[in-house]
Structures are given as structure tokens and as C-alpha cells.
Amino acid sequence: MEEYWATLFNWTKLKLKIHNKPDDNTVFFQEREIWWVSLGINIGSEQNGKHGNFERPVLVLKKFNKSTLWIVPLTNQYKDREYYLSLINRDIVYYFNLSQLRLISSKRLLRKISKLSELEFNKVKESIKNLL
């Protein structure tokens, strides 16, 4: 339990640092891109980040403006469930956790990994539409 509290404390310090980034420190991002983001420590079954930056790869599903985006977290574990989608992009297999769709601030963006093709991106969007 002490380890959990230490991890939560470290995430809180990082979250304050992320929150206090200046608004003029704009990161340029586009829909279809896969980024590492600081997702943090979450509650219950919500997807957590890992390592020192509490990071996880995500797909930028929708860009609302320069500071707000809708994302789909990725995982490296295959799960044969209706809320997961797997795609191969440049010889890398990505598993999209469609049930963890969420809105985040662009302040959480760390570094870009790659960009999906239009075809792959449309598969993700279609899978999300089917969930609704």
C-alpha cells in the first residue's frame, strides 16, 4: 500500500507540473497520430500510464482545438473482446482499447510515435461507431 501512495504522490507532482505548463507552449498534433501522453494514475479499471511520466500511447481521434483532443488509449496486450481493435501499422501491431475513449488536454502530449493511414483510421472510427 505504501508503494501505491508513493506512486500516487509522484503522479500528483507531475500532474501539477503538466497543469502549470504555459498555454503558449503549444504542441502541434493532428488526428490519426499516435502519441505518448501522460495519462497518470486513474481509478478502478481506467487505463493507467506507466513509468516515470505515467505515459501510455494513444491515438488522436479528434482535434477540437489546439488544446483539447479526444483520444483512444493503446495497449500492448492482445485481448479478444468487442471493445478492442488490433491493426498493423508499419509492421507494428497496435491494440486500441475502444472502451477507454476520453477527452484530454494537449498539455499531456509528450512525443509523437507515428501516424495511421486514412484506411486504418477509418477502421478505428467505424469500430467506435459500432459500439454506440
Side-chain angles (χ1 to χ4, degrees):
M1 190 64 163
E2 283 182 37
E3 183 177 325
Y4 171 78
W5 288 112
T7 303
L8 187 59
F9 178 72
N10 289 335
W11 164 241
T12 302
K13 287 192 310 186
L14 181 59
K15 186 175 182 178
L16 288 170
K17 184 177 175 184
I18 292 167
H19 178 75
N20 289 318
K21 281 184 186 177
D23 288 333
D24 62 351
N25 190 14
T26 304
V27 176
F28 297 100
F29 63 95
Q30 298 177 349
E31 294 174 3
R32 297 182 17 222
E33 292 177 343
I34 297 175
W35 282 76
W36 283 103
V37 303
S38 289
L39 278 189
I41 301 296
N42 295 296
I43 298 170
S45 298
E46 297 170 351
Q47 200 99 57
N48 286 322
K50 296 181 180 183
H51 312 297
N53 286 326
F54 300 91
E55 59 192 49
R56 172 163 298 281
V58 302
L59 170 67
V60 177
L61 185 62
K62 180 73 176 171
K63 178 178 181 175
F64 292 104
N65 54 47
K66 68 179 184 175
S67 61
T68 309
L69 57 150
W70 208 12
I71 57 102
V72 177
L74 282 72
T75 182
N76 59 0
Q77 296 178 2
Y78 172 74
K79 295 184 181 172
D80 188 18
R81 298 184 188 152
E82 73 177 305
Y83 302 120
Y84 287 82
L85 172 69
S86 62
L87 290 175
I88 299 173
N89 181 46
R90 298 185 180 126
D91 298 327
I92 298 172
V93 179
Y94 291 104
Y95 303 107
F96 300 88
N97 187 345
L98 305 175
S99 67
Q100 296 284 326
L101 195 65
R102 66 188 274 194
L103 185 80
I104 66 167
S105 167
S106 63
K107 290 181 177 186
R108 291 180 181 262
L109 294 170
L110 297 172
R111 60 195 173 281
K112 184 176 148 184
I113 300 171
S114 67
K115 188 171 187 175
L116 292 183
S117 71
E118 285 280 347
L119 179 65
E120 294 163 325
F121 188 64
N122 287 334
K123 287 180 185 177
V124 175
K125 290 194 314 185
E126 193 60 34
S127 295
I128 291 168
K129 286 178 188 176
N130 290 336
L131 289 178
L132 302 174

